[in-house]
């Protein structure tokens, strides 16, 4: 919105400073600031409104220390996060960018599903919330939308490399080397429609899903949509499971979103993409504005969500955060990096699957269910072990920072 306005002012009236909105770095900074201010200043009003309407969390007694003291804490705080993301992006983002539009749809879509779940829990007083099958239907629906747009939209393209790396050496009259110029590759000026993605730790790290099905167009489409469904479902559910302690999901997600923003910028910049020998995705750098707004919203939400939490994000926040991360990775064709980048989501999900599977197996075999962990997901295991809540959150944050750094290292380690 403001991008178009200031571009018009710059072109036709040459107003000083109006050209600043052409720079992604400036708009990303504005998005961070706006998201922080919206979260901090409007968060208090939203919390009070939720308290007036007695929209509090129903706490199940799981025998965790300090758990019952959280009963009645306002939930549905994900509304604050979504508001702080959507408003800055609508104001300073380019709304003619297919990736930005896809991210906006994804945030609203899963935010609505999470809102329905929170609404049923708080207003209908049904602890199970929205039935799991309806959540899955919503996640599958978003996966189909994302996969179809990535396959059919003419704006979703990449630029192929058409020459091998070359080195030119310039010498003086005495035969001494003056300068060495390295040109890694030349980009094809013709945009290409493809289902390629990036494989980490591989030198020639571009992989086409179509290779699996022998290049068949229809099967490639179905396979890619299937991958999109799996990624959206897995990451959003993983984020949902991680949201169990004050500030945990919020803290863990900030490094993840920051790394995705860096990868989007590098992938959308032809010089950096050439230098790093990574896939060049035109217009994907606009996603930096969305990532900046998301980081600002998450950090601002910690103002109220850090221990002791004044508000919980609920499924409104956790499902939308996971969905945003998943769709963002699909847009920049880095979804195969998610097991590393979102390693904590993966571990939390696996801990639940292991616990449930082992309990059922031992109950059938021995007549009594046994457990691998003291409690699942994994963060509750540590809580049961006597580790204080804030220490668990900080340690998870450190691990998330480590995984994020390793994800960036994959740009060089192949």
């Amino acid at each position: 919105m403001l991008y178009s306005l200031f571009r018009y002012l710059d072109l036709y009236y040459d107003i000083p400073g109006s050209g600043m909105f052409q720079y992604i770095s400036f708009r990303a900074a504005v998005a961070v600031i706006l998201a922080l201010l919206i979260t901090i200043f409007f968060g208090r009003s939203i919390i009070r409104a939720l308290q007036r309407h007695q929209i509090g969390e129903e706490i199940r007694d799981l025998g965790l220390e300090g758990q019952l003291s959280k009963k009645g804490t306002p939930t549905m705080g994900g509304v604050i996060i979504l508001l702080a993301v959507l408003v800055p992006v609508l104001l300073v983002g380019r709304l003619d960018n297919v990736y930005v539009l896809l991210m906006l749809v994804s945030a609203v879509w899963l935010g609505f599903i999470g809102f329905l779940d929170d609404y049923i829990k708080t207003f209908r007083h049904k602890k199970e919330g929205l039935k799991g099958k309806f959540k899955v239907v919503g996640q599958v629906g978003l996966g189909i939308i994302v996969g179809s747009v990535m396959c059919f939209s003419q704006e979703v393209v990449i630029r192929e490399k058409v020459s091998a790396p070359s080195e030119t050496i310039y010498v003086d009259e005495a035969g001494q080397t003056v300068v060495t110029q390295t040109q890694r590759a030349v980009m094809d000026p013709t945009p290409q429609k493809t289902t390629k993605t990036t494989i980490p730790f591989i030198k020639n790290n571009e992989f086409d899903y179509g290779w699996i099905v022998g290049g068949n167009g229809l099967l490639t489409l179905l396979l890619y949509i299937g991958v999109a469904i799996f990624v959206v479902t897995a990451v959003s559910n993983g984020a949902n499971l991680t949201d169990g302690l004050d500030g945990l999901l919020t803290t863990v997600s900030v490094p993840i979103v920051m790394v995705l923003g860096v990868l989007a910028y590098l992938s959308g910049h032809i010089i950096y993409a050439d230098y790093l020998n990574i896939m060049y995705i035109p217009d994907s750098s606009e996603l930096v504005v969305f990532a900046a707004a998301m980081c600002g919203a998450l950090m601002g939400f910690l103002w109220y969500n850090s221990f002791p939490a004044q508000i919980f994000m609920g499924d409104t926040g956790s499902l939308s955060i996971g969905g945003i991360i998943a769709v963002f990775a699909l847009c920049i064709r880095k979804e195969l990096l998610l097991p590393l980048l979102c390693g904590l989501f993966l571990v939390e999900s696996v801990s639940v699957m292991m616990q449930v599977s082992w309990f059922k197996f031992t109950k059938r075999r021995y007549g009594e269910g046994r457990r691998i962990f003291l409690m699942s997901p994994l963060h509750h295991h540590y809580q049961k072990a006597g580790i204080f809540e804030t220490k668990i959150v900080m340690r998870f944050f450190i691990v998330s920072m480590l995984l994020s750094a390793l994800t960036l290292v994959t740009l060089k380690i192949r």
Side-chain angles (χ1 to χ4, degrees), residues 157-165 183-192 206 266-282:
V157 295
I158 69 169
R159 294 263 295 277
E160 298 276 11
K161 303 176 183 68
V162 294
S163 71
Q183 182 172 313
R184 297 180 177 271
V186 175
M187 298 292 180
D188 189 343
T190 306
Q192 300 290 328
E206 294 180 7
L266 296 175
S267 299
H269 196 294
I270 191 168
I271 296 176
Y272 292 140
D274 176 31
Y275 175 73
L276 294 168
N277 193 26
I278 60 177
M279 190 184 301
Y280 173 53
I281 310 171

Side-chain angles (χ1 to χ4, degrees), residues 192-297:
Q192 300 290 328
K193 285 292 300 178
T194 182
T195 52
K196 284 187 176 181
T197 189
T198 303
I199 303 178
F201 304 113
I202 304 296
K203 191 171 184 66
N204 297 316
N205 62 345
E206 294 180 7
F207 171 75
D208 195 335
Y209 289 108
W211 177 82
I212 298 176
V213 294
N216 183 286
L218 178 60
L219 293 179
T220 301
L221 169 64
L222 295 175
L223 175 62
Y224 188 84
I225 291 176
V227 170
I229 291 171
F230 175 77
V231 171
V232 170
T233 304
V235 179
S236 57
N237 285 332
N240 194 21
L241 290 171
T242 305
D243 181 33
L245 300 176
D246 294 354
L248 179 58
L249 178 58
T250 316
T251 306
V252 164
S253 298
V254 170
I256 295 174
V257 176
M258 290 178 68
V259 167
L260 289 174
V262 170
L263 293 174
Y265 183 74
L266 296 175
S267 299
H269 196 294
I270 191 168
I271 296 176
Y272 292 140
D274 176 31
Y275 175 73
L276 294 168
N277 193 26
I278 60 177
M279 190 184 301
Y280 173 53
I281 310 171
D283 299 324
S284 66
S285 56
E286 187 64 27
L287 286 171
V288 174
V289 177
F290 192 97
M294 187 70 181
C295 286

Side-chain angles (χ1 to χ4, degrees), residues 105-163:
V105 169
S106 302
V108 173
W109 185 284
L110 285 179
F112 179 70
I113 294 172
F115 180 83
L116 287 178
D117 184 71
D118 291 334
Y119 178 85
I120 293 171
K121 287 178 182 177
T122 53
F123 288 95
R124 301 288 182 86
H125 303 289
K126 295 182 179 179
K127 292 182 180 180
E128 69 276 6
L130 186 66
K131 290 185 178 180
K133 62 182 179 181
F134 294 117
K135 288 184 183 179
V136 172
V137 168
Q139 292 164 334
V140 169
L142 179 60
I144 293 173
I145 292 172
V146 174
S148 300
V149 170
M150 294 292 290
C151 288
F152 291 115
S153 174
Q154 296 303 310
E155 298 177 55
V156 179
V157 295
I158 69 169
R159 294 263 295 277
E160 298 276 11
K161 303 176 183 68
V162 294
S163 71

